[in-house]
Amino acid sequence: MRAVTWQGRRKVSVETVPDPEMREPTDVIVRITTSGLCGSDLHLYEVLGPFLDPGDVLGHEPMGVVEEVGPEVRRISPGDRVVVPFNISCGTCAMCGRGLHSQCETTQVHDYGTGASLFGYTKLYGQVPGGQAEYLRVPFGDVLPVPVPEGPADDRFVYLSDVLPTAWQAVEYADVPPGGSLAVLGLGPIGDMAARIALLRGADLVLGIDPVPERRARAAARGVRTLDLSGDGRDPLERVRDLTDGRGPDAVIDAVGMEAHGAPLARGLHSIVAYLPDAAARPLMRRFGVDRLSALHLAVELVRRGGTVSLAGVYGGAADPMPLFEMFDKQLTLRMGQANVLRWVDRLLPLLTDEDPLGVDDFATHRLPLAEAPEAYEMFQAKRDGAVKILFKP
């Protein structure tokens, strides 16, 4: 089959790789019809190379049609249309029972002390082949794949794999009071969708903060009050407080993560580590890695006293300095973590109707053949051509 493979820093290619094979009686094989390019994939493209091998298959936002099922699979059959959550969860362990599917005890990666395995996401999370491919092996066939109706285009449902549950959890963790205010840092796919969800759930004011004009315009068209806090000389704190009764928003979602602008030292260290041999780079990243933290620090500064910072952007540093005095003094709540996809599916499916309250049907900015993945990665990282959400069609 053809698949998108990692080949080095800022280098992916579409290669012919072995077809996936059934390993367990509960496995299913899915023929992929659509797969998304996620902001988290850019971390592999840029930073996390020490935890990848050339040829690793990328992608963790797939959906498709079931081709084959193992002898113990009862819930789905060949021909069924399914979405595949990005975290690989058994659905039966103690963590899954608590709704913490991203911490699944069955698929935790003990070699690295990390949570549930993820499709297409480095040795840190199991080095499981991903879904930017023509076919995908999916374990736990009676639990993990999410059946969806026939009829509407894939765009209606593919975001159940990651974007929708990640954004929903970010808003849930933000705990905005009825009629309250929320600031969203970063209007990429997760930030954009989180802003839409917050408005749908009753937030009175949602501020979307991003330096890219096309992204601000896209969010503004959905009712988000957008701001660019860079470059005009005004104090960003004063600008936000002017809109929130002088206090700051009730909650802030950081939807940016380790790819934040600024922090040239951390960026330089990322570049240096990327060129070291993996055997040397891995322990440096795990013990001394430092992220670009400008977005997270801004979230702490912006939120009102007693407010909540909800962290949806991915960070990977083991030695990140945090402004603990300010966080303690402001009596902040900080919530974070990979989305527990299966926990939120039942709340999200009723919203994926013809009325389309979240605008999923036209959420993608680009739909490209899998063969154009190298160009798509470069375009998405550079934020060119209005790229916010890219879908691949194998």
Side-chain angles (χ1 to χ4, degrees):
M1 69 173 183
R2 302 288 283 172
V4 179
T5 65
W6 184 87
Q7 298 295 338
R9 183 170 181 260
R10 296 187 183 177
K11 185 178 181 181
V12 300
S13 63
V14 179
E15 306 288 343
T16 299
V17 302
D19 290 346
E21 297 179 350
M22 307 281 281
R23 296 182 188 173
E24 303 291 339
T26 53
D27 286 349
V28 303
I29 302 294
V30 176
R31 174 175 56 82
I32 303 302
T33 55
T34 299
S35 188
L37 174 55
C38 179
S40 297
D41 291 325
L42 296 182
H43 307 327
L44 314 185
Y45 191 66
E46 178 75 23
V47 177
L48 295 177
F51 300 99
L52 290 153
D53 291 328
D56 281 355
V57 178
L58 305 180
H60 58 270
E61 297 185 347
M63 70 172 293
V65 177
V66 176
E67 289 283 301
E68 184 180 357
V69 302
E72 295 183 11
V73 175
R74 300 287 182 267
R75 188 173 63 113
I76 57 176
S77 304
D80 287 352
R81 191 184 191 198
V82 296
V83 174
V84 182
F86 75 91
N87 36 38
I88 304 173
S89 51
C90 71
T92 57
C93 70
M95 290 294 102
C96 289
R98 291 175 169 83
L100 296 172
H101 300 88
S102 66
Q103 309 302 321
C104 175
E105 292 177 326
T106 304
T107 72
Q108 286 175 9
V109 184
H110 298 294
D111 287 349
Y112 287 96
T114 51
S117 295
L118 310 178
F119 287 105
Y121 215 79
T122 81
K123 293 180 176 73
L124 290 170
Y125 289 98
Q127 205 171 23
V128 181
Q132 289 172 6
E134 294 178 320
Y135 294 91
L136 179 69
R137 169 187 167 265
V138 181
F140 310 115
D142 272 340
V143 175
L144 190 58
V146 178
V148 296
E150 294 293 336
D154 282 5
D155 291 41
R156 178 75 57 89
F157 302 111
V158 67
Y159 306 115
L160 284 170
S161 60
D162 182 350
V163 173
L164 283 168
T166 298
W168 187 276
Q169 180 171 295
V171 175
E172 184 80 12
Y173 283 6
D175 194 25
V176 181
S181 57
L182 171 72
V184 179
L185 303 183
L187 293 171
I190 302 303
D192 186 343
M193 186 57 73
R196 299 180 188 203
I197 288 170
L199 287 170
L200 183 71
R201 292 178 56 164
D204 184 60
L205 173 66
V206 176
L207 301 174
I209 300 170
D210 196 290
V212 180
E214 294 86 354
R215 296 187 175 196
R216 294 198 305 274
R218 174 181 162 99
R222 304 288 308 190
V224 178
R225 176 72 178 266
T226 61
L227 295 172
D228 177 9
L229 297 183
S230 62
D232 70 352
R234 290 189 62 195
D235 183 340
L237 300 184
E238 289 184 4
R239 291 182 62 187
V240 173
R241 287 170 181 164
D242 284 347
L243 299 170
T244 53
D245 298 324
R247 299 186 188 91
D250 296 305
V252 177
I253 292 174
D254 173 2
V256 180
M258 69 172 77
E259 296 288 331
H261 293 281
L265 177 59
R267 185 180 182 89
L269 291 172
H270 289 170
S271 299
I272 292 169
V273 169
Y275 289 109
L276 292 174
D278 288 352
R282 280 196 291 268
L284 282 174
M285 289 286 287
R286 292 189 66 204
R287 296 188 61 190
F288 305 111
V290 177
D291 290 309
R292 288 174 265 168
L293 295 172
S294 53
L296 182 54
H297 286 185
L298 179 60
V300 171
E301 292 176 342
L302 290 180
V303 72
R304 68 161 169 79
R305 291 179 177 274
T308 300
V309 173
S310 174
L311 182 53
V314 174
Y315 287 93
D320 285 336
M322 292 292 293
L324 290 177
F325 173 79
E326 184 176 10
M327 295 166 69
F328 180 85
D329 180 66
K330 292 183 72 173
Q331 200 167 332
L332 302 185
T333 297
L334 176 63
R335 294 202 69 181
M336 68 189 84
Q338 299 278 11
N340 305 298
V341 175
L342 291 179
R343 178 174 183 174
W344 310 116
V345 165
D346 287 345
R347 298 196 195 185
L348 289 162
L349 270 172
L351 300 176
L352 304 182
T353 62
D354 289 342
E355 288 73 27
D356 194 18
L358 294 174
V360 295
D361 286 348
D362 59 2
F363 190 70
T365 54
H366 296 72
R367 298 168 183 82
L368 301 172
L370 200 63
E372 295 183 19
E375 295 82 4
Y377 269 78
E378 191 278 328
M379 174 176 62
F380 189 37
Q381 187 193 46
K383 300 179 178 67
R384 287 193 292 103
D385 300 332
V388 177
K389 190 61 187 177
I390 299 172
L391 298 179
F392 294 126
K393 301 288 185 177

